[in-house]
Amino acid sequence: MEISNSISNELTLKETAKFLKKHDNFVILTHSSPDGDTLGAGYALFYGLKEIGKIAAVICADVIPKKYDYFVHETDNIDESKATVIAVDVATKELLGSLCENFGDKVDLCIDHHISNSKFAKNLYLDASASATCEIIFELLELMNVNINSGAASAIYTGIATDTGCFKYSNVTAKTHIIASKLFEYDIDPAEINKIMFDTKSRKLLELERMVLDTAEYHFDNKCILLAVTAEMQQQTGCSGSDLEGIAVISRSVEGVIAGISIKQTGDEEFKISLRTYPPLDASAIAKSIGGGGHKAAAGATVCGTLKEVKKMVLDAVKTNMEESDAGISSHK
Amino acid sequence: MEISNSISNELTLKETAKFLKKHDNFVILTHSSPDGDTLGAGYALFYGLKEIGKIAAVICADVIPKKYDYFVHETDNIDESKATVIAVDVATKELLGSLCENFGDKVDLCIDHHISNSKFAKNLYLDASASATCEIIFELLELMNVNINSGAASAIYTGIATDTGCFKYSNVTAKTHIIASKLFEYDIDPAEINKIMFDTKSRKLLELERMVLDTAEYHFDNKCILLAVTAEMQQQTGCSGSDLEGIAVISRSVEGVIAGISIKQTGDEEFKISLRTYPPLDASAIAKSIGGGGHKAAAGATVCGTLKEVKKMVLDAVKTNMEESDAGISSHK
């Protein structure tokens, strides 16, 4: 019997450092629809490897949003076929997007913090207790005694800040804050980074939010809010894709609400549902019952039908979970 | 010539600790319209003083919002006339609100981080480099070797988080993050605290935001946004006072905008103006020109007239500042 190549060889941080020192030419892959953590980790690793004389290129399947320009840098041109391939913050090879075809089965090392990592890479350094992959990259560069330049420090701060909602979420640990305090010693501007990442909204997004708030429906004694983004709203405002991520955030922030539903139209009769719940509700159970999946507090599904049908389907699923979990007698503060 | 009693005797942190140890009965005053930092500092100091056998009462001129219930505790009944009076996070005696009459000239010690502190107290410990007064209280309790219980730790975390926008603003230093990392060693739930402080919006506020977004006006090549909250909107939604603070935040977060104006109706023909600006604009100069004042990035004024007149007045003032500062050729990212 052959050993499946979908089981990674798990490395320690020290072995990961040794691995990087041993090789000279690297392709660093980020996940598609790139966020602050995958880009921060990719570029921080790039800057670190350059400091010790290596050749490296950062590659992403999608266009990198301009807001990351302050740390995104031109990387090296290399012969990809001869390079050592590293994936950062990539939990499954499918998340490489269009790079999956070329690189999916050729990743030599994956550095990640997702407990759900599918172990698709030959070698894996996984620390699920890290708030962000950037936390790991910082520790790695520190362990390797590599000079952290201001680009690397900005990139690492960005990844940690974006994956923790600026130190707001439950994935933050004492170590996260210790690393942040050390990053302040470098030439970075955290307040400016946070302004770009958290406090800058496009005018079109503000307009979309206004429209979405107009659609707000409350259900089940106001314990559930439902927000909808129709194709028409997307056309009218010019918002799409990652512009729409903030809508789910609104749905989870209303006082007394334990089930936040946001519905985004993705096709003629196709909708993407995002669920955000608080105990005792279970977003993953609700999502599963309509063909999706996810975590206990955040899950999603893609469903077909008219908006009216889709609303009914998800509201029925929420109601069932409320009844099963006795949510009628409990609610979050 | 008498020495004015409006000049405080400035203490070191060590002298402040000594002062607290020397006395036994304390009244701790917070500022009116209490926020997370003044309450956090007041209650953390209360918990700390209790740990070393002192008697202390925390007093605030206004009702303490329920959201702080997780660290607000019943304090001691004491004879106020015989107690040592401490003010925390109180920059001027007027900020004591209705307590100013009784206590304004009787504050024995003020612990504060506002550079603008008017030195109204007999003794003052001022650290303007601290992100929050709670940062100072943590250092003080640590220096005094006082046990920090979970109530004190929650209170201190709250003050630091709320005064820094959860570690987002430019007042955060390496020390702020080091203190945060130490607070994680205590029995506190930072994610839950942050949810209560930052991610909980009342339904009425969501409704108000929808209405306010409907009023959004853009001026001067979209470099300026103007939002208005009329008396009618406040009546319709039931929002008032501190509910309205978030509106100025919206005005400063729109991409490309360097002048965010929010206008709140406070009387029949009276409006409170909040200004949020980015370089090269100067909010304090704009505010001053219409009879108000404040800081370079955030300032305000109260003006009289119809909404139309008030809008014209503030827009003219912004235009003047734009012209004087050559804002036409520069803008924030």
mmCIF file of all heavy atoms in Angstrom, chain A residues 95-113:
data_model
loop_
_atom_site.group_PDB
_atom_site.id
_atom_site.type_symbol
_atom_site.label_atom_id
_atom_site.label_comp_id
_atom_site.label_asym_id
_atom_site.label_seq_id
_atom_site.Cartn_x
_atom_site.Cartn_y
_atom_site.Cartn_z
ATOM 1 N N LEU A 95 -7.546 26.485 -2.538
ATOM 2 C CA LEU A 95 -7.504 27.915 -2.212
ATOM 3 C C LEU A 95 -6.411 28.659 -2.978
ATOM 4 O O LEU A 95 -6.330 29.884 -2.935
ATOM 5 C CB LEU A 95 -7.329 28.117 -0.701
ATOM 6 C CG LEU A 95 -8.561 27.731 0.139
ATOM 7 C CD1 LEU A 95 -8.231 27.726 1.623
ATOM 8 C CD2 LEU A 95 -9.723 28.685 -0.128
ATOM 9 N N LEU A 96 -5.570 27.914 -3.694
ATOM 10 C CA LEU A 96 -4.577 28.570 -4.549
ATOM 11 C C LEU A 96 -5.239 29.186 -5.782
ATOM 12 O O LEU A 96 -4.612 29.942 -6.524
ATOM 13 C CB LEU A 96 -3.513 27.564 -4.995
ATOM 14 C CG LEU A 96 -2.573 27.042 -3.900
ATOM 15 C CD1 LEU A 96 -1.743 25.867 -4.425
ATOM 16 C CD2 LEU A 96 -1.659 28.158 -3.403
ATOM 17 N N GLY A 97 -6.515 28.862 -5.989
ATOM 18 C CA GLY A 97 -7.235 29.411 -7.137
ATOM 19 C C GLY A 97 -6.645 28.866 -8.424
ATOM 20 O O GLY A 97 -6.357 27.670 -8.528
ATOM 21 N N SER A 98 -6.425 29.736 -9.390
ATOM 22 C CA SER A 98 -5.934 29.290 -10.696
ATOM 23 C C SER A 98 -4.491 28.763 -10.621
ATOM 24 O O SER A 98 -4.008 28.138 -11.565
ATOM 25 C CB SER A 98 -6.022 30.441 -11.704
ATOM 26 O OG SER A 98 -5.218 31.516 -11.262
ATOM 27 N N LEU A 99 -3.801 29.003 -9.511
ATOM 28 C CA LEU A 99 -2.440 28.469 -9.365
ATOM 29 C C LEU A 99 -2.455 26.988 -8.984
ATOM 30 O O LEU A 99 -1.424 26.320 -9.016
ATOM 31 C CB LEU A 99 -1.666 29.242 -8.286
ATOM 32 C CG LEU A 99 -1.443 30.734 -8.524
ATOM 33 C CD1 LEU A 99 -0.775 31.368 -7.309
ATOM 34 C CD2 LEU A 99 -0.587 30.952 -9.773
ATOM 35 N N CYS A 100 -3.639 26.492 -8.635
ATOM 36 C CA CYS A 100 -3.746 25.109 -8.152
ATOM 37 C C CYS A 100 -3.300 24.117 -9.228
ATOM 38 O O CYS A 100 -2.587 23.157 -8.947
ATOM 39 C CB CYS A 100 -5.171 24.822 -7.698
ATOM 40 S SG CYS A 100 -5.360 23.177 -6.982
ATOM 41 N N GLU A 101 -3.683 24.384 -10.462
ATOM 42 C CA GLU A 101 -3.360 23.460 -11.547
ATOM 43 C C GLU A 101 -1.848 23.260 -11.672
ATOM 44 O O GLU A 101 -1.366 22.133 -11.722
ATOM 45 C CB GLU A 101 -3.940 24.016 -12.856
ATOM 46 C CG GLU A 101 -4.181 22.928 -13.890
ATOM 47 C CD GLU A 101 -4.602 23.511 -15.229
ATOM 48 O OE1 GLU A 101 -5.386 24.481 -15.233
ATOM 49 O OE2 GLU A 101 -4.133 22.999 -16.261
ATOM 50 N N ASN A 102 -1.129 24.370 -11.691
ATOM 51 C CA ASN A 102 0.328 24.291 -11.825
ATOM 52 C C ASN A 102 1.038 23.827 -10.556
ATOM 53 O O ASN A 102 2.018 23.104 -10.605
ATOM 54 C CB ASN A 102 0.898 25.675 -12.183
ATOM 55 C CG ASN A 102 1.087 25.832 -13.672
ATOM 56 O OD1 ASN A 102 1.121 24.835 -14.395
ATOM 57 N ND2 ASN A 102 1.195 27.056 -14.128
ATOM 58 N N PHE A 103 0.559 24.320 -9.407
ATOM 59 C CA PHE A 103 1.336 24.157 -8.177
ATOM 60 C C PHE A 103 0.697 23.261 -7.116
ATOM 61 O O PHE A 103 1.350 22.893 -6.137
ATOM 62 C CB PHE A 103 1.583 25.533 -7.545
ATOM 63 C CG PHE A 103 2.505 26.421 -8.332
ATOM 64 C CD1 PHE A 103 2.027 27.500 -9.059
ATOM 65 C CD2 PHE A 103 3.878 26.179 -8.333
ATOM 66 C CE1 PHE A 103 2.882 28.317 -9.780
ATOM 67 C CE2 PHE A 103 4.743 26.997 -9.040
ATOM 68 C CZ PHE A 103 4.244 28.073 -9.771
ATOM 69 N N GLY A 104 -0.593 22.933 -7.306
ATOM 70 C CA GLY A 104 -1.344 22.234 -6.254
ATOM 71 C C GLY A 104 -0.622 21.037 -5.653
ATOM 72 O O GLY A 104 -0.625 20.844 -4.437
ATOM 73 N N ASP A 105 0.019 20.248 -6.509
ATOM 74 C CA ASP A 105 0.680 19.044 -6.008
ATOM 75 C C ASP A 105 2.186 19.213 -5.879
ATOM 76 O O ASP A 105 2.919 18.235 -5.692
ATOM 77 C CB ASP A 105 0.365 17.860 -6.941
ATOM 78 C CG ASP A 105 -1.115 17.539 -6.931
ATOM 79 O OD1 ASP A 105 -1.716 17.595 -5.830
ATOM 80 O OD2 ASP A 105 -1.679 17.256 -8.009
ATOM 81 N N LYS A 106 2.649 20.447 -5.995
ATOM 82 C CA LYS A 106 4.099 20.670 -5.987
ATOM 83 C C LYS A 106 4.550 21.576 -4.845
ATOM 84 O O LYS A 106 5.622 22.178 -4.910
ATOM 85 C CB LYS A 106 4.525 21.307 -7.318
ATOM 86 C CG LYS A 106 4.396 20.371 -8.508
ATOM 87 C CD LYS A 106 4.798 21.102 -9.774
ATOM 88 C CE LYS A 106 4.414 20.297 -11.007
ATOM 89 N NZ LYS A 106 4.274 21.148 -12.197
ATOM 90 N N VAL A 107 3.698 21.722 -3.829
ATOM 91 C CA VAL A 107 4.073 22.614 -2.736
ATOM 92 C C VAL A 107 5.025 21.861 -1.791
ATOM 93 O O VAL A 107 4.671 20.842 -1.215
ATOM 94 C CB VAL A 107 2.832 23.142 -1.987
ATOM 95 C CG1 VAL A 107 3.255 24.007 -0.804
ATOM 96 C CG2 VAL A 107 1.938 23.929 -2.946
ATOM 97 N N ASP A 108 6.239 22.376 -1.672
ATOM 98 C CA ASP A 108 7.248 21.709 -0.849
ATOM 99 C C ASP A 108 7.057 21.995 0.634
ATOM 100 O O ASP A 108 7.385 21.174 1.481
ATOM 101 C CB ASP A 108 8.650 22.179 -1.282
ATOM 102 C CG ASP A 108 8.939 21.798 -2.721
ATOM 103 O OD1 ASP A 108 8.930 20.576 -3.006
ATOM 104 O OD2 ASP A 108 9.125 22.687 -3.565
ATOM 105 N N LEU A 109 6.542 23.201 0.927
ATOM 106 C CA LEU A 109 6.363 23.583 2.330
ATOM 107 C C LEU A 109 5.155 24.496 2.451
ATOM 108 O O LEU A 109 5.031 25.465 1.697
ATOM 109 C CB LEU A 109 7.615 24.331 2.829
ATOM 110 C CG LEU A 109 7.510 25.045 4.182
ATOM 111 C CD1 LEU A 109 7.319 24.029 5.318
ATOM 112 C CD2 LEU A 109 8.741 25.910 4.441
ATOM 113 N N CYS A 110 4.279 24.168 3.390
ATOM 114 C CA CYS A 110 3.161 25.063 3.683
ATOM 115 C C CYS A 110 3.325 25.577 5.114
ATOM 116 O O CYS A 110 3.607 24.792 6.023
ATOM 117 C CB CYS A 110 1.833 24.314 3.524
ATOM 118 S SG CYS A 110 0.399 25.363 3.861
ATOM 119 N N ILE A 111 3.192 26.875 5.276
ATOM 120 C CA ILE A 111 3.238 27.486 6.607
ATOM 121 C C ILE A 111 1.855 28.057 6.863
ATOM 122 O O ILE A 111 1.380 28.910 6.107
ATOM 123 C CB ILE A 111 4.304 28.608 6.671
ATOM 124 C CG1 ILE A 111 5.686 28.038 6.317
ATOM 125 C CG2 ILE A 111 4.326 29.246 8.058
ATOM 126 C CD1 ILE A 111 6.785 29.094 6.206
ATOM 127 N N ASP A 112 1.191 27.577 7.919
ATOM 128 C CA ASP A 112 -0.222 27.908 8.072
ATOM 129 C C ASP A 112 -0.653 27.892 9.536
ATOM 130 O O ASP A 112 0.016 27.303 10.391
ATOM 131 C CB ASP A 112 -1.064 26.902 7.268
ATOM 132 C CG ASP A 112 -2.518 27.327 7.120
ATOM 133 O OD1 ASP A 112 -2.821 28.521 7.284
ATOM 134 O OD2 ASP A 112 -3.367 26.451 6.854
ATOM 135 N N HIS A 113 -1.803 28.537 9.775
ATOM 136 C CA HIS A 113 -2.388 28.537 11.128
ATOM 137 C C HIS A 113 -3.822 28.012 11.142
ATOM 138 O O HIS A 113 -4.487 28.098 12.170
ATOM 139 C CB HIS A 113 -2.314 29.947 11.744
ATOM 140 C CG HIS A 113 -3.315 30.914 11.152
ATOM 141 N ND1 HIS A 113 -4.187 31.652 11.941
ATOM 142 C CD2 HIS A 113 -3.580 31.261 9.877
ATOM 143 C CE1 HIS A 113 -4.930 32.407 11.152
ATOM 144 N NE2 HIS A 113 -4.592 32.203 9.908
#
